[in-house]
Amino acid sequence: MTTPDAPALPLRPELADEVPYGAPQLDVPVRLNVNENPYAPSDAVVETIAERVAQASRTLNRYPDRDFGDLRADLADYLAVESGVRLDPAQVWAANGSNEIMLHLLQAFGGPGRTAVSFAPTYSMYPEYARDTHTRWVTGRRAEDFTVAPEEAVALIEAEQPSVVLLASPNNPTGTALPTATIEKILDAAARVPAVVVVDEAYAEFRREGTPSALALLDRYPHLAVTRTMSKAFAAAGLRLGYLAASSELVDALRVVRLPYHLSAVTQAAARAALEHRDSLLAQVADLRAGRDELVAWLRQQHVDGRPLQVAETDANFVLFGVLDDRHAVWQQLLDRGVLIRETGPEGWLRVSVGTPDETQAFKDALTDVIGEKEQ
């Protein structure tokens, strides 16, 4: 007996050749490829989270607070301390990672017949958010130093008339932060369209002293949204909690498109518990900043094929370096030595996350070994 061929799945045509997003997940001694905080939560943090989750578990037969007012108030309190900007909890929104926050934004303000713009190289998930919401995707180019020229950004906005402008600051994968003056010029141009401007500050806590946050612009620009995450500075990548600060009107638009009860009671409890320990968790950020700056200085002293390595200015917890004739070969040779970094960004460049002192030293030793082989 023969079985007839199964019918083809009615997959959307634009998804036919797509593959799922994701960085390699390999079991190696040193993993510096996905910009995680290398320090695990302390016993005190774990105990508080466990206690709060246990309390939340007693009411898991009930749906969670769908507007999570207590968590929004806690996040507003944290931003007031971190940035000096006091927001009403109604100006804060949260979701399962900043990825879902971005999807909410594109669901609310993108869509068929609408355009989103950004400036490449930048975060590789942005075009996927656009694709998944049927939003047209357009990218301008960053300068050789990975900055965004304000006049070129304004020209792109005027030409494309987007409904959403996505700006990562610090940018991923380059680490580049945007000056306030550049963001203001983009906001002014977007207001004339009109368009929502999203400043993605996933790595904001790692910015160097004197580098401002776009949160300070919220009171003047109601079409601005600033996104943050607890994945990086809070050492809570596994928690999956991203959030946004904006006008209450913009937040209300996101409440329309979010799925019912999208943020579980367990997630809310764990996030609030982590925020109770913000001082101890953020104390590690200063060490990571110092480690990043030292790593940048070290990389700039290295030579490959007789040329000094180029290293991008960075306000994040990672460093982009190049230019390598065969970056994949270098990436593979580092992996062969037990060090996993990320093959991403412009051709010839690699990105390494800042690890513990031991992890960073292991990367340095491995790269020195690889460079030495190339020079022989």
Side-chain angles (χ1 to χ4, degrees):
M1 180 177 177
T2 60
T3 302
D5 291 338
L9 295 172
L11 185 67
R12 286 165 41 191
E14 68 271 22
L15 301 180
D17 297 320
E18 296 287 342
V19 296
Y21 170 86
Q25 290 184 300
L26 304 175
D27 186 14
V28 297
V30 180
R31 292 184 292 180
L32 301 173
N33 67 322
V34 289
N35 305 336
E36 295 163 327
N37 189 317
Y39 297 105
S42 68
D43 289 344
V45 175
V46 172
E47 288 172 8
T48 303
I49 291 175
E51 178 184 336
R52 300 293 186 274
V53 168
Q55 292 171 357
S57 298
R58 299 184 185 281
T59 58
L60 286 182
N61 58 311
R62 303 295 184 186
Y63 285 111
D65 177 358
R66 62 174 173 261
D67 288 322
F68 43 92
D70 291 339
L71 174 58
R72 292 162 78 182
D74 288 351
L75 289 167
D77 288 342
Y78 164 68
L79 289 176
V81 173
E82 193 276 335
S83 68
V85 177
R86 167 54 67 180
L87 301 170
D88 187 277
Q91 293 180 261
V92 180
W93 188 242
N96 294 283
S98 56
N99 305 94
E100 189 176 32
I101 291 287
M102 291 291 181
L103 194 60
H104 285 172
L105 286 160
L106 269 292
Q107 287 175 315
F109 301 107
R114 295 190 167 200
T115 298
V117 304
S118 192
F119 302 90
T122 193
Y123 185 36
S124 57
M125 274 297 295
Y126 291 161
E128 296 197 20
Y129 304 140
R131 177 200 67 195
D132 293 346
T133 56
H134 295 278
T135 306
R136 177 172 169 260
W137 177 248
V138 175
T139 52
R141 299 300 304 177
R142 289 173 176 262
E144 287 189 7
D145 62 356
F146 305 124
T147 57
V148 175
E151 62 279 4
E152 293 183 14
V154 170
L156 183 68
I157 291 168
E158 291 175 346
E160 299 295 342
Q161 296 288 291
S163 59
V164 180
V165 181
L166 291 172
L167 304 169
S169 181
N171 184 48
N172 182 5
T174 67
T176 318
L178 291 172
T180 298
T182 298
I183 298 173
E184 287 176 320
K185 286 185 171 66
I186 291 171
L187 283 162
D188 291 338
R192 297 190 289 269
V193 175
V196 168
V197 176
V198 182
V199 179
D200 181 353
E201 291 191 344
Y203 301 94
E205 285 90 349
F206 298 100
R207 65 192 189 276
R208 289 171 289 184
E209 186 174 352
T211 301
S213 166
L215 290 167
L217 301 174
L218 284 172
D219 62 340
R220 292 194 285 127
Y221 294 100
H223 59 301
L224 169 64
V226 181
T227 62
R228 292 285 188 99
T229 182
M230 293 184 70
S231 295
K232 313 300 182 181
F234 276 86
L239 176 60
R240 305 305 301 133
L241 196 291
Y243 58 104
L244 166 150
S247 66
S248 58
E249 292 79 10
L250 194 154
V251 169
D252 284 345
L254 305 186
R255 294 173 62 226
V256 172
V257 299
R258 62 101 164 94
L259 294 173
Y261 311 106
H262 71 287
L263 209 56
S264 78
V266 170
T267 298
Q268 293 178 43
R272 295 193 68 203
L275 285 164
E276 289 182 36
H277 291 269
R278 65 191 181 206
D279 291 341
S280 62
L281 287 168
L282 294 179
Q284 299 165 337
V285 170
D287 291 337
L288 291 169
R289 280 199 213 103
R292 172 203 61 207
D293 293 341
E294 190 277 331
L295 180 57
V296 167
W298 182 85
L299 283 167
R300 286 178 173 159
Q301 295 172 354
Q302 309 311 305
H303 290 70
V304 179
D305 297 326
R307 304 188 308 268
L309 284 176
Q310 296 182 40
V311 184
E313 294 289 340
T314 177
D315 279 275
N317 67 331
F318 55 82
V319 182
L320 188 75
F321 66 95
V323 178
L324 305 165
D325 292 336
D326 188 346
R327 70 171 177 181
H328 181 72
V330 173
W331 177 88
Q332 183 62 57
Q333 289 165 4
L334 290 171
L335 181 60
D336 293 343
R337 290 161 172 80
V339 178
L340 176 63
I341 65 172
R342 190 72 182 270
E343 188 176 1
T344 188
E347 188 60 37
W349 294 75
L350 293 169
R351 190 191 71 198
V352 57
S353 307
V354 179
T356 65
D358 287 345
E359 289 171 336
T360 298
Q361 188 60 51
F363 163 73
K364 290 179 181 179
D365 292 343
L367 184 62
T368 300
D369 202 16
V370 171
I371 290 173
E373 282 192 5
K374 286 180 64 63
E375 297 298 320
Q376 289 176 4

